[in-house]
Amino acid sequence: MRIKNQGIAPVVFAAGCMLFGTLLATVSNGQEKSNAVKLNVGAFEYAKELIKQGYVVADERGAWSERQPSAKEENEFTRLHGFGEYAKWHLGIDDRYAENTKRRYKFSYGDFKNVHRSGMLAAQSRAGQYKYYDIENTATHLKAMIDATRGSQAKR
């Protein structure tokens, strides 16, 4: 009887290790996914400057689906200005993709001329859905800047 118990213990131990390893892999894969898209600090700074300078369209929720640049407009912009400029119009960077690809840049907020309030609302909502809280908070901050600008313009 004692020999059988010794044979079972290593099997139970191995099974426990495998289960722990599977759980650990699941958790780390979830972290990889949630950390794949990072805040584009350069885009945040660029958007703040544009808002301060008045390059803002104070549109409402839902307008972004009609106002966001089309694929053709994005392609033309990158052809003329490059991916460095294209990146400035996106609050997120997905490091899983190469720098000179559109797939790398997430959460657009403007039309390559103006910051759109509806773009910030869309970015804020989508970032929250995917649990990219730093991007969500940044979009919330920039939307508040736009709203404050609207209020000061109304007082003039």
Side-chain angles (χ1 to χ4, degrees):
M1 181 97 41
R2 185 177 166 134
I3 295 173
K4 284 186 178 182
N5 285 344
Q6 285 180 345
I8 292 174
V11 172
V12 171
F13 178 75
C17 288
M18 287 175 57
L19 179 61
F20 179 74
T22 302
L23 290 172
L24 186 60
T26 302
V27 169
S28 70
N29 284 342
Q31 287 174 341
E32 260 182 46
K33 183 180 178 214
S34 68
N35 293 333
V37 180
K38 306 220 184 293
L39 176 65
N40 182 353
V41 177
F44 173 53
E45 295 299 326
Y46 188 64
K48 284 195 307 189
E49 272 308 305
L50 290 170
I51 293 167
K52 287 177 189 175
Q53 294 173 14
Y55 292 98
V56 174
V57 176
D59 47 7
E60 296 301 320
R61 182 177 301 278
W64 188 237
S65 61
E66 297 169 13
R67 301 211 172 155
Q68 67 184 354
S70 68
K72 184 179 177 181
E73 291 168 323
E74 289 178 336
N75 291 340
E76 183 66 9
F77 185 84
T78 57
R79 185 182 71 75
L80 294 173
H81 303 283
F83 281 96
E85 289 298 311
Y86 181 79
K88 290 180 183 180
W89 292 94
H90 297 81
L91 293 176
I93 296 177
D94 191 337
D95 287 331
R96 295 176 298 178
Y97 301 104
E99 287 184 26
N100 291 336
T101 62
K102 291 193 311 185
R103 291 181 77 182
R104 180 178 176 88
Y105 306 102
K106 312 287 188 199
F107 304 106
S108 63
Y109 62 83
D111 61 9
F112 306 125
K113 294 179 192 112
N114 296 296
V115 175
H116 284 254
R117 183 178 185 275
S118 62
M120 284 302 168
L121 288 166
Q124 178 185 3
S125 176
R126 285 186 307 127
Q129 287 173 339
Y130 292 107
K131 297 180 175 45
Y132 299 132
Y133 298 121
D134 51 347
I135 296 170
E136 179 187 23
N137 293 336
T138 298
T140 301
H141 175 77
L142 292 167
K143 185 186 83 57
M145 286 181 66
I146 292 168
D147 291 343
T149 301
R150 281 177 31 174
S152 67
Q153 289 174 349
K155 293 176 187 175
R156 289 182 186 171

